[in-house]
Amino acid sequence: EPEVTQTPSHQVTQMGQEVILRCVPISNHLYFYWYRQILGQKVEFLVSFYNNEISEKSEIFDDQFSVERPDGSNFTLKIRSTKLEDSAMYFCASSEVGNSNTEAFFGQGTRLTVV
Amino acid sequence: GNSVTQMEGPVTLSEEAFLTINCTYTATGYPSLFWYVQYPGEGLQLLLKATKADDKGSNKGFEATYRKETTSFHLEKGSVQVSDSAVYFCALSDREYGGSQGNLIFGKGTKLSVKP
């Protein structure tokens, strides 16, 4: 069964460093998403991406964050100058189309720890 | 703004017990409602969904009914198994049916542990 894969499963980085979280969405999907979950808190929407551009983003997704689809298969989330409060589980998701009745498939998540 | 509130966990049950995980929502318009499940070491998986009032979503013995009058979407299962141990997330999509996905708004998640 096709699945969304994320790498690495766990990333430890020093405060101020840049990190890139990687995702391979399901191959025929057109919409891509990043969510995060700070420990003990809700899963929060960060950004959605379609046709090589951001279609929607939350207030969390500020200039520190960027997304890219560099090669037609990977979908990356870059966090510049990481802060302690960026420590969270980051989930990538993809869906075939973008309407609210379409299932989004999620990856296993990358646990980011900023020290 | 739109939000989802679900009961705090963890919930510990014996095998074959009845499960209810409460979920209520606040939303404008007519959101779609979802339950996602996360098994240990895996990603979020869609468990069931309902797209309009009075719809009942069901899967793997779990069910939830979209109650607009009480703004609720409680998850139930008549007889849980050890294999149901996981974290369960209630979520809503803040786009009406046919519109763009927008984002999913999740609850905090409820951890369920089922003991043999």
Side-chain angles (χ1 to χ4, degrees):
Chain A
E1 187 176 328
E3 59 181 14
V4 175
T5 56
Q6 291 184 241
T7 55
S9 56
H10 190 190
Q11 172 93 44
V12 181
T13 190
Q14 291 208 322
M15 192 168 53
Q17 297 296 304
E18 175 183 286
V19 294
I20 297 176
L21 309 184
R22 301 181 191 280
C23 171
V24 179
I26 295 173
S27 61
N28 64 331
H29 286 187
L30 302 176
Y31 288 80
F32 315 114
Y33 313 88
W34 282 102
Y35 291 79
R36 78 171 185 191
Q37 184 182 29
I38 296 171
L39 187 64
Q41 299 188 25
K42 298 184 177 186
V43 177
E44 301 170 294
F45 169 77
L46 293 178
V47 66
S48 59
F49 190 86
Y50 170 71
N51 199 27
N52 283 318
E53 61 183 24
I54 290 172
S55 55
E56 189 168 353
K57 61 182 180 179
S58 72
E59 59 188 23
I60 301 168
F61 194 87
D62 60 21
D63 292 343
Q64 184 193 8
F65 295 90
S66 61
V67 289
E68 193 178 29
R69 189 155 161 80
D71 57 13
S73 61
N74 289 285
F75 178 53
T76 61
L77 175 68
K78 181 188 291 185
I79 310 174
R80 287 180 281 276
S81 189
T82 50
K83 305 188 287 281
L84 293 177
E85 54 264 39
D86 294 326
S87 296
M89 180 73 88
Y90 288 81
F91 293 103
C92 173
S94 68
S95 64
E96 283 185 274
V97 295
N99 70 51
S100 62
N101 203 33
T102 305
E103 179 178 355
F105 290 80
F106 284 78
Q108 294 174 305
T110 293
R111 180 169 296 285
L112 176 65
T113 302
V114 182
V115 296
Chain B
N2 296 346
S3 65
V4 172
T5 303
Q6 62 182 104
M7 63 186 285
E8 298 281 335
V11 174
T12 302
L13 295 173
S14 298
E15 206 164 23
E16 298 183 5
F18 184 85
L19 168 72
T20 300
I21 300 178
N22 289 339
C23 172
T24 57
Y25 68 91
T26 302
T28 55
Y30 303 94
S32 294
L33 300 174
F34 306 83
W35 277 99
Y36 279 82
V37 59
Q38 185 178 30
Y39 298 104
E42 300 184 18
L44 295 167
Q45 300 173 27
L46 180 64
L47 180 60
L48 53 85
K49 66 182 181 186
T51 58
K52 61 183 188 296
D54 300 326
D55 267 3
K56 178 186 283 188
S58 61
N59 186 26
K60 299 182 181 180
F62 291 89
E63 57 183 35
T65 301
Y66 190 150
R67 301 280 188 207
K68 195 170 190 300
E69 64 276 16
T70 54
T71 62
S72 64
F73 193 55
H74 304 321
L75 182 69
E76 296 182 335
K77 186 174 186 181
S79 176
V80 294
Q81 305 300 311
V82 173
S83 58
D84 294 326
S85 298
V87 181
Y88 292 82
F89 295 89
C90 185
L92 68 82
S93 174
D94 70 352
R95 291 292 186 267
E96 294 183 27
Y97 179 77
S100 62
Q101 168 105 39
N103 66 77
L104 287 170
I105 298 172
F106 284 87
K108 281 191 178 183
T110 303
K111 184 174 182 180
L112 171 67
S113 296
V114 181
K115 306 298 183 187

